[in-house]
Amino acid sequence: MVTSDTVAPGEEGLYLRLLRDAADAVAGAGTLDEALAVTVDLVAERLGFDVCSVYLSDERAGDLVLAATHGLRREAIGQVRMRPGEGLTGHVAEGEQALFTSRADEHPRFKFFPETGEERFRSFGGVPLVRRGRCVGVLTVQTVREYRFPANEVVALQTLAGQVVSLIDVKRRLAPAGAGRAAPGTPARGLLVGLGTSPGVGLGRVAALGVDPLRAPPPPRAFAGADEEVARFARARDAAARELEAFAAQIEGEHGAAAAAIIRVHEELLRDPALEERVRARVVERQEPAEHAVYQAVEEVVELLSGAGAAKVREKADDFRDARAQLLRALGIAGGPTALDAGDGGVVLLAEVLTPAQTAHLDPARVVAIVTQHGSETSHASILARSLGIPAVVAIPDLVASVAQGERLLVDGDNGFVFQDPAPQIEAEYCRRGEAARAAAGVVAAELAARAPAGPRVAGVELLANVGLPHELGAAREHGAAGIGLLRTEFFFLQQHAWPTVKEQVAFYRRALQAAPQGPVVVRLLDAGGDKTLPYAPAHDEPNPILGLRSVRFLLSQPEVARAQVEALVEAAAVEQADVRVLVPLVTAGWELRAVRELLEEASAARGVPPRPLGMMVEAPSVLYQLEHLLPLADFVSLGTNDLTQYLLAVDRDNELVRQYYSPYHPAVLRALDWLQARLAADGRRPSVCGEMAGDPLGALALLALGYRTLSVRPRAVQPVRCLVHCVDEAALPALRAEVLAAPTPADVERVLRRALRQAAPFLLDA
Ligand code: PEP
Ligand code: MG
């Protein structure tokens, strides 16, 4: 999470370039000392400061030690030490708060350190280097002349410090043999820096996305009528068979009958009457265009064959896929190289942009990591990557131009680093880190076990799970969620190739309900549109999709789709006798809730069951101003802080160019959440919060302080948040609330929360 409050767009190019160059320089530097030296040189030279220094904390002595400098005496490196609180630099470290002053010598905390020769410098800027909630050092800048640091530069330096500290951390870990004393050598061809949005580490060869169209679902196409589509299929099959026969004859001449027989197998498959029957049935019954029917019919066969264990049978499945490619080509679809066919083993998927639909189709067994040029923390592709457990780094400038197909990459999704062609020492270090991460999870489990007998320290907290993909339901159960607070059904829709029928949806929801933990299951109606475009839905050329036909607006614009989904939910809930609650996304008007309620009542009456509870998501700020009209229409309320932050702050949550502006810790967001909680409590409501912030220990702490007691979080976050609830003193929450609400910037809010978390449950800073 970026902690700055704003960055002037005009300066972005300069700072981003600086950051990238610093990353490159650090990657090329042999030791931590060298890496720090190039960093301070770059900052001073590019931004025109007389001095830039880095002080690092010496964990044993608790002091800050000058570790690198551009502009102070070099002999002072390793010599100048200060206690936290001593001098301006110590003051920055102690308060974990940036300090910029044009007259350093007039500041009450100023202290002169003669060893540095710094009396000549008048202006001082210092930014704490905060790593996993702990201050690990200070980055300082100084000027000889009196200099008033412009606001955008202050914020940019804070952003820069966040990245620099991560770079230093990597370097330090790669040079474990004493600070900066590791053997020199280039650890990687290059280091790319982006935003880590799905944790974990993946190592593999790059496969650039551009999936072979012959292996992917065909693009949407209008249905030309059953007779015409069946005739198109027959023509394509005959053309493909003729082509294969000509090819087989050529192969026979060149390589003999045995080789030609392989080709003829495909020809036979094309003429398989069972396949023809499946295609015809899909065209007639589901009104699918020929290419979709072919694609799906073969998928059905392949699925049947893949279930069988024998290798020979699985090979047959591949033959069917190859035959299908022939057919699709004959139907006019152009082919290309398949990204995921690149090499053996796991691949690192590279794309400029990854859509949620593409992400939903990824196979975690093959894709070990994702790297993209664009994207953000709360973009749905990132949320899905977390669901799939695939490490991801997004928003890497110039990624596509910097990395070649087949290149080896090590992707660190925790820190946002991508090492190109990493040396064995980096791989070894990351193996060690994997063990450390597992140890951190163990610490949370051990703390929780130790504190369980005393019970939670904050009363009445309910922890539910957010799930997008079916396998997460099992994880939600394993992690002890008390139910499902958000089932994002759009990911199921994203995995389909045509609108799913009521029957198919019933089957999916029933499977989901069977796999869910005991307790309520809040099923969100299809939340498509915006960045989640369904390949088979009517395409709209929208200039501003995030403000366009998305969510419930999109759903209600397709009444049959809405009706089918509601019917399927009512049926699945009735059969499974489950506590299903229906949630409407992005409500902005009362009629939307009424329209869904009507569908729910109709479907329930037809099934002869009472209607399921209907809930409203609070994601648009307009809801806050019409609660007295909307609340009577909703049985329950769920807060989507991802979208609420986006719309409240007018920041596209998917746009990395403005990610400095996006923060759920923005005072405006927290004040809105605070007001809303009080207003809902007065109405006797107990809202749940299902945005990503609820699963972050800092965010969960903020929400507890504001009075929220139902949190819905990704399965893996259930235990850390539960642990938080066992550690935080409920009596301290009102004071924390007051402090949080008084903080003027996101950075200040985060600092307040970090301190509170460090006191209550320091180990959660690493969770
Ligand atoms: C939200 O907006 O906070 C939310 C939970 O929905 P999504 O992230 O799927 O838009
Ligand atoms: Mg949302």
Side-chain angles (χ1 to χ4, degrees), residues 512-595:
L513 294 173
Q514 287 159 10
Q518 288 288 323
V521 178
V522 176
V523 183
R524 179 168 75 183
L525 294 181
L526 176 63
D527 186 12
D531 65 326
K532 293 179 278 194
T533 40
L534 300 174
Y536 45 85
H540 301 283
D541 193 12
E542 293 187 273
N544 215 338
I546 284 298
L547 298 179
L549 194 62
R550 65 163 293 210
S551 264
V552 68
R553 302 170 184 176
F554 171 81
L555 186 65
L556 292 176
S557 75
Q558 310 270 328
E560 286 318 307
V561 173
R563 188 182 301 281
Q565 186 173 30
V566 170
E567 255 178 58
L569 278 172
V570 167
E571 175 64 19
V575 177
E576 296 299 328
Q577 305 207 333
D579 180 3
V580 170
R581 304 172 190 187
V582 178
L583 183 61
V584 185
L586 198 64
V587 170
T588 54
W591 73 265
E592 294 163 333
L593 287 167
R594 280 195 212 95

Side-chain angles (χ1 to χ4, degrees), residues 380 486 488 490 524 527 532 550-551 585-586 617-619 640-644 646-647 653 690:
H380 288 98
L486 176 67
R488 290 179 160 105
E490 58 275 11
R524 179 168 75 183
D527 186 12
K532 293 179 278 194
R550 65 163 293 210
S551 264
L586 198 64
M617 279 194 91
V618 180
E619 299 184 284
T641 52
N642 304 337
D643 274 319
L644 188 62
Q646 153 166 274
Y647 293 121
R653 65 192 255 193
C690 62

Side-chain angles (χ1 to χ4, degrees), residues 489 493 505-514 523 565 568-569 572:
T489 58
F493 280 77
Q505 288 191 63
V506 171
F508 170 74
Y509 300 136
R510 285 193 58 193
R511 278 200 305 277
L513 294 173
Q514 287 159 10
V523 183
Q565 186 173 30
L569 278 172

